[in-house]
Amino acid sequence: MKTLLPSKFGLYGGQFVPETLIPALIELEKAYVESETDSQFQVEFANALRDFVGRPTPITFAARLTQACGGARIYLKREDLCHTGAHKINNALGQALLAKRMGKNRVVAETGAGQHGVASATVSALLGLECIVYMGEVDIARQHPNVNRMKLLGATVVPVASGTKTLKDAINEAIRDWVTNVGTTHYLLGSALGPHPYPTMVRRYQSVIGSEATQQIQQITGRNPDALVACVGGGSNSIGIFSGFLTSPEVKIFGVEAGGSGVASGKHAARFGDPSKGRVGVIHGTRTYVLQNADGQIEDTHSISAGLDYAAIGPEHSMLRDAQRVTYTNVTDDEALEAFGVLCRLEGIIPALESSHAVAFAMKLAPAMRPDQTILINLSGRGDKDLDTILAIKANQP
Amino acid sequence: MKLPSRKLFIPYFPMGYPTIETSIDVIEALAKNGADIIEIGMSFSDPLADGPVIQQATQTALEQGITLEKTLESIAILRDRGVITPLVLMGYYNPLLAYGLDRFMKRCRQLQIVGLIIPDLPIEESGELRAELEDIPLIQMIAPTTPNDRIAELAPTAGGFIYLVSITGITGSGNSFSSALPNLIAAIRTHTSLPICIGFGINSTQKAKEMGSMADGVIVGSHLIREIGSSPAPAMAAAALARQFRAALDH
């Protein structure tokens, strides 16, 4: 069966799924393609982004951070100000509207940090859908406030005890549910991952970040930024903002992976940062770079940030890396924590630990740039959910 | 594969569970007690088409140190012990890619493997592997969700046998088989003369008999793993189970 849209990004992507799911992917792609030219659907999505999510989100000049770094002017795209506190709601809303259009009244979602789970629970409440969220037991322990939020919003949170008990295993379990209930259920995948059409569809729903940002930064600074920085777990906030600037060659684009305890320690989630383990493979329906051992078993990952703690990266990022359009780098847990504290104290913004990775890299980049240059950071989410993690670390410090 | 003179009994067992040595003994016992074909599981860390029983068994196998290389070495041991039963390998795509598809297929030919089942490799993505297959068929799965026009596309080019998934779901789950099964079998039969074997959720000899009456054979996995894994004498348990399923299918 030929897909309606390209199913691959160069060598990457595709539809590596059990036969049971193939008809569901065909149905989903068809519904997505139709919805893209359905003006009523597009108006409904745009209105909900404005009236419910609170878009457009602003761009904030980080004056004191800029001063402290002593170089390029630093701007923040404020996805932390979205309803539910992160960019995840843009995609969740788009897919939930699509699920409703397909007549599917039950959605399943995976979540790592809990942000996508909260976003899915929220849009399900808004649209009257049944919502089941799969979450690894390790993540439930470190992101407990989000578990409570999901439950308040009427979702069922299913703890996942298999494998490493994190995001990867939650995705396995969500796919198993989808395989079993495919007639009634839409899989509301939260990142630019998985089989086609997900990476394309999720980028489209997150591209609102990039299209707003291109206009806003022009209005504020009169030109494109010199550097654009976003953190990359699966890669949805990053592909969302990158999509606005990929065809502007003057913009240097940086994707920041989770360096964990340092790439050399082996405890990290830097798919591009560790060539000994990060190799092209097939996981969760897509061909992409994935951390694996010599036998092709998927490796355990580590990051202080649950949202970046994932062994694979969205397939479009693999293509952008090969094409050298985006430079992928990583920062450690400690560097992200440092940046978290700096942004709190200098800007009055509590960033998510995921987003703190982007801030940490920008803080390295800025001093090497001129004061007439600019950096735009995608501040993908707010950090309220991380307070337990942060306070536990502080309590353990001498 | 030609239509068999008796109903095919195809047990699935993961190499390395509960230990590598025991799994070799179990598979030998299955071979000597009535299995027509044995489906040997190649373990993967993320088996997304499998239910809890196979997940746990393959996880245990990985903890026991099984690798794709050791799986193939264990099959060589079975061949040395005189096991001539046709063997099919079942596993996910990533470990094969990591091993190298050409190298993997070379080993399969040496070990006289008669088919591969790769649940996360639909026909659209299979070109790269097909280029290396030569005479070893990639066994096609067909599910209750597979529409007729897709059956018409899949069945004529399939090899070995048709793996008909009995339920919309994962391995080892549920009690209710899809009511669409008789129609599915009829639809598949119009496009191929290969044996049609039913798998997923066959957890008793009665169910095997029931499914066997509709199709050419049955694949039994989770049920065997559960019974064999909980037995103090796994190889003896495997032999007894194989004889029970053989008898149920023959009478």
Side-chain angles (χ1 to χ4, degrees), chain A residues 120-387:
Chain A
S120 299
T122 300
V123 296
S124 295
L126 178 72
L127 299 174
L129 305 171
E130 182 187 357
C131 180
I132 316 290
V133 180
Y134 289 92
M135 188 169 186
E137 285 183 346
V138 168
D139 291 334
I140 286 180
R142 61 180 164 177
Q143 304 284 348
H144 209 258
N146 272 343
V147 176
N148 291 332
R149 291 166 79 197
M150 287 183 263
K151 288 180 179 166
L152 283 174
L153 291 160
T156 304
V157 180
V158 182
V160 176
S162 59
T164 56
K165 305 177 177 63
T166 61
L167 179 57
K168 157 178 101 71
D169 311 286
I171 295 176
N172 289 336
E173 223 40 66
I175 292 175
R176 290 180 186 122
D177 182 313
W178 191 31
V179 171
T180 306
N181 301 294
V182 65
T184 59
T185 298
H186 172 67
Y187 179 21
L188 211 170
L189 180 55
S191 195
L193 294 169
H196 174 73
Y198 283 100
T200 297
M201 186 169 72
V202 174
R203 179 196 52 196
R204 152 71 184 98
Y205 294 144
Q206 293 295 1
S207 67
V208 64
I209 308 172
S211 57
E212 284 176 9
T214 47
Q215 289 184 13
Q216 290 167 319
I217 201 76
Q218 283 288 345
Q219 280 165 7
I220 297 167
T221 68
R223 60 189 184 85
N224 272 330
D226 297 283
L228 176 64
V229 184
C231 64
V232 191
S236 71
N237 91 81
S238 48
I239 207 71
I241 195 159
F242 291 175
S243 67
F245 299 92
L246 285 171
T247 54
S248 304
E250 74 280 14
V251 182
K252 284 197 175 130
I253 304 181
F254 298 92
V256 187
E257 298 185 285
S261 308
V263 169
S265 73
K267 294 180 72 185
H268 62 81
R271 290 69 45 108
F272 294 142
D274 185 351
S276 71
K277 294 196 291 182
R279 298 192 310 277
V280 177
V282 167
I283 179 73
H284 294 145
T286 195
R287 181 192 292 261
T288 190
Y289 278 81
V290 55
L291 290 166
Q292 53 184 307
N293 70 14
D295 189 43
Q297 308 296 335
I298 307 307
E299 284 275 3
D300 292 359
T301 52
H302 167 80
S303 170
I304 191 170
S305 131
L308 304 183
D309 199 353
Y310 180 62
I313 189 164
E316 191 170 3
H317 288 285
S318 292
M319 184 188 74
L320 291 170
R321 190 238 194 183
D322 280 6
Q324 298 183 313
R325 177 61 190 100
V326 177
T327 303
Y328 292 88
T329 180
N330 58 80
V331 303
T332 63
D333 287 350
D334 289 346
E335 290 170 322
L337 280 168
E338 165 78 20
F340 173 93
V342 167
L343 206 68
C344 289
R345 290 189 302 274
L346 293 186
E347 297 294 340
I349 295 169
I350 301 175
L353 281 172
E354 290 76 14
S355 322
S356 300
H357 284 69
V359 175
F361 181 71
M363 285 166 59
K364 292 186 193 180
L365 204 56
M369 293 169 68
R370 297 188 311 269
D372 63 327
Q373 293 182 302
T374 56
I375 300 175
L376 177 61
I377 301 172
N378 197 29
L379 200 74
S380 55
R382 68 174 188 231
D384 308 45
K385 68 183 176 61
D386 295 314
L387 294 187

Side-chain angles (χ1 to χ4, degrees), chain A residues 1 8 14-20 22-23 162 168 172 175-176 179-180 182 281-283 287 292 295-298, chain B residues 43-48 50 55 62 67-68 94 98 119-120 122 124-125 128 141 143 145 150 153-154 168-169:
Chain A
M1 191 91 44
K8 293 204 162 67
Q15 296 185 311
F16 295 86
V17 296
E19 186 60 36
T20 307
I22 292 284
S162 59
K168 157 178 101 71
N172 289 336
I175 292 175
R176 290 180 186 122
V179 171
T180 306
V182 65
V282 167
I283 179 73
R287 181 192 292 261
Q292 53 184 307
D295 189 43
Q297 308 296 335
I298 307 307
Chain B
S43 292
F44 181 47
S45 52
D46 293 81
L48 54 77
D50 285 304
Q55 283 175 49
L62 290 171
T67 59
L68 185 47
N94 197 58
D120 60 348
E124 288 82 357
E125 304 293 353
E128 186 184 25
M141 287 179 143
T145 55
R150 191 165 168 85
E153 188 185 349
L154 298 177
T168 302

Side-chain angles (χ1 to χ4, degrees), chain B residues 16-69:
Chain B
Y17 175 78
T19 66
I20 295 177
E21 197 47 51
T22 306
S23 64
I24 296 171
D25 294 342
V26 163
I27 291 165
E28 185 180 15
L30 293 169
K32 289 182 174 163
N33 288 279
D36 296 290
I37 300 168
I38 299 172
E39 190 189 319
I40 294 180
M42 304 179 283
S43 292
F44 181 47
S45 52
D46 293 81
L48 54 77
D50 285 304
V53 173
I54 293 180
Q55 283 175 49
Q56 273 159 26
T58 52
Q59 189 60 41
T60 300
L62 290 171
E63 284 158 14
Q64 289 290 321
I66 199 73
T67 59
L68 185 47
E69 181 58 40

